[in-house]
């Protein structure tokens, strides 16, 4: 029997992937990161991982959370175990509005969509806006998981440089003009304005105004991703971009860092018209988020002192930040520079000239310390001298030990460089799709 | 300041959706179903809903499930509340293989990807394979949620007719030939072979062999969606398509109907090369599924007599199926025909000539009974004389009462038709994006 055009699946064994000719264009960019195998090794207990962005959930009152989920099933089982609505539990959406008020946001539950982590919110926003080739503006460096999503929708990511005050407004304006002059459609600015992942820097108040002016003037939507906003170490909470521009900003939030990632509850707050599209996109993607997860988070917010818990997290992470910064100061060879975060999880370090963070990683893992090489945070191959160091998960003593090991590895690289003119080099590559441990 | 091309967002109030010019091409098809507003009314307690596909989770031992989730947090909180891997919990993946063995499937956990319901598995498979315009073959009628996903990726859905033995193999072969002759790329066959949603029919064993032969011969992947497979009323479990073709079938499974939808745990079992792409797509979509949900399902499977629970569900749904079929037989006017499901949740009913199920829906809801009009299950506007009737959620007495009300509405429509030559007519439309209550 003949079926016209030949698109025959090859017999087993004749090649590695029988479906290789049939994938969608977008799937061609879905390639595992080269550093994945290394991270499998890095998860061994003898390795100090400064790579992962895992929050320290052990600090939570686990017995209380256990009782709370039991109570939820006993009292509301038929709801918690059933399908929920695509937009998300109405009561949780009200509570989310209460959380956002801490950042100056005045919004109603009708404009909130609950998502499977803020990662899914990002996926859905990208799904709604991006045709292949459309431009997404993003800080350079930017969140590795966002770059993976943008790649999956074949966006053209244009990085905008940062300094210690965050995104540089003039560079943003210029990037928009340049992209449009080249005939590109600029769809949105993706930004993590507060305690940025991976750079650890925060957009200053003055620059927030400028960024909104520029994007408003140019008709460019702002996608504000703010998982770390409540984790400031001096106790002050930055005012969200969304607080000053309800129609120009989609705000993405998450309970992963202020409660726990295990429920995968995040959200998008969007201008009303966009909210409808987000709900439809949500339903076609997963029907609805877990009612159980949503009600568990809602129950936690209702019955537990969540503001106090966030304060506890701030103190815990502040102590770890201090451990990292003081040991970097004490141990890193001359020529290394790094950022000094006032909140969040990450320090961004730049190695001396001639060193390559990805090429160095196998030796670091061998010395029992891991980090994420900088190239993963750029869509354009930059970042080879840089790395992200996380202080969120290891205890302070382990952080100090990890930095000590890392300093030793860098010193050896410098010795190689000084002997041969350069340290080891990697082939640079573009976007890595990250594992969840790089969140 | 000028930013080149004008793509300026309109000032508030000048039009309804300020972003309307900026959406991706795929977002244009994301439109809410016209019948949505009606379903909001249909969820009132005085309405007998034969519309929703919600399993009867109240039959679960809720106290036991409550204790189980408490125990999980107490004993394994730091894992259950943390990020998990993109592929899903390894132990749960082993347990999933055990569940699939009941359908003759011999597979290893390495080829399973845990997803946010099988809906997400379908979304990810579509993401990997479908470029705009590519053909997806699907039964006519087909699962409304699948049609929503295919529309979101701009697939061209070609329906293949069914009879009481399921998909008609000759029609499948012809559809492939015709699509290819028209220069289309045929990417996969989407099928719900067992207790089909919405038609309630099951692909016979002989036809299963033919369907695999045809798809294999033509190099067309089969996506086998099997949420109801274990819910057979005579106790026999059909052998899955995947059992006889590990390389040519992606199998989608779910715990939504055999345990509870509230955890949103489904899965895909895929040929190995495809599995890698699925994990990468999963990570870019949501990073990872809820560790809590996965471990809760795993704990349930480990500690509870889940096979007995499925048997209880079978008996419960069998009794409801009987209530529906016997009251349809007793009450429906001449000219109505319907399918006789041997398992699952759904009966598919065809109205007499000249009646229109969507136009009739407001009168049915007014008479306090709801169903899903047939047009929602076709991408091509067919189904206007048909409807899906669910017996999974209401108690048998309510089912009988619902059928009684529905029969009354149909009799009135017939009276109108006999007077004016036709019943009320609706404008037909294409794919509705379903709410989760239509799962």
């Amino acid at each position: 029997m003949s079926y016209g055009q030949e698109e025959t699946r090859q017999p087993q064994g004749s090649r590695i992937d029988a479906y290789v000719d049939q994938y969608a264009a977008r799937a061609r960019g879905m390639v595992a990161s080269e550093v994945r195998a290394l991270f499998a090794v890095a998860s061994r207990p003898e390795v100090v991982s400064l790579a992962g962005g895992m929050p320290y959930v052990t600090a939570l009152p686990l017995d209380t959370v256990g009782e709370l989920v039991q109570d939820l099933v006993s009292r509301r089982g038929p709801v918690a175990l059933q399908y929920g609505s695509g937009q998300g539990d109405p009561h949780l959406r009200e509570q989310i509005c209460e959380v956002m008020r801490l950042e100056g946001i005045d919004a109603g539950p009708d404009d909130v969509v609950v998502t499977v982590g803020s990662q899914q919110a990002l996926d859905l926003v990208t799904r709604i806006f991006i045709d292949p080739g459309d431009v997404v503006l993003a800080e350079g460096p930017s969140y590795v998981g966002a770059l993976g999503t943008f790649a999956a929708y074949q966006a053209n990511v244009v990085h905008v440089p940062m300094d210690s005050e965050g995104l540089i407004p003039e560079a943003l304006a210029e990037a928009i003009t340049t992209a449009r002059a080249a005939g590109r459609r600029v769809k949105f600015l993706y930004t993590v304005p507060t305690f940025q992942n991976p750079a650890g820097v925060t957009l200053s108040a003055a620059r927030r105004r400028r960024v909104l002016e520029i994007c408003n003037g140019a008709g460019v939507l702002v996608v504000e991703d703010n998982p770390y906003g409540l984790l400031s170490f001096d106790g002050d909470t930055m005012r969200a971009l969304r607080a000053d521009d309800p129609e120009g900003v989609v705000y993405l939030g998450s309970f992963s860092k202020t409660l726990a990632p295990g429920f995968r509850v995040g959200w998008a707050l969007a201008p009303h018209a966009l909210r409808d599209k987000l709900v439809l996109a949500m339903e076609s993607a997963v029907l609805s988020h877990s009612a159980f997860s949503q009600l568990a988070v809602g129950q936690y917010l209702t019955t537990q002192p969540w503001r106090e818990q966030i304060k506890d997290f701030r103190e815990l992470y502040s102590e770890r930040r201090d451990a990292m910064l003081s040991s970097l100061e004490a141990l890193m060879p001359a020529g290394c520079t790094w950022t000094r975060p006032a909140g969040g999880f990450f320090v961004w370090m730049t190695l001396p000239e001639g060193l390559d963070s990805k090429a160095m990683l196998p030796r670091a893992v061998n010395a029992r310390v891991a980090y994420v090489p900088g190239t993963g945070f750029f869509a354009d191959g930059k970042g080879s001298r840089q790395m992200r160091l996380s202080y969120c998960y290891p205890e302070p003593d382990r952080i100090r030990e990890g930095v000590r090991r890392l300093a030793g590895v860098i010193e050896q690289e410098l010795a190689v460089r000084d002997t041969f003119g350069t340290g080891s080099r990697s082939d640079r590559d573009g976007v890595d799709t990250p594992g969840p441990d790089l969140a």
Side-chain angles (χ1 to χ4, degrees), chain A residues 52-64:
Chain A
M54 298 190 299
Y56 193 71
V57 294
T58 311
L60 290 167
L62 295 179
D63 287 347
T64 308

Side-chain angles (χ1 to χ4, degrees), chain A residues 49-89:
Chain A
S49 178
L50 306 175
M54 298 190 299
Y56 193 71
V57 294
T58 311
L60 290 167
L62 295 179
D63 287 347
T64 308
V65 175
E67 282 163 27
L68 179 155
V69 293
Q70 176 177 39
D71 181 62
L72 173 64
V73 178
S74 303
R75 285 190 311 108
R76 303 190 62 199
V79 178
L81 298 177
Q82 192 52 271
Y83 288 108
S85 86
Q87 187 172 356
D89 180 64

Side-chain angles (χ1 to χ4, degrees), chain A residues 16-28:
Chain A
I16 294 167
D17 182 355
Y19 295 99
V20 73
D21 294 334
Q22 302 208 24
Y23 293 130
R26 72 176 73 80
R28 281 174 219 135

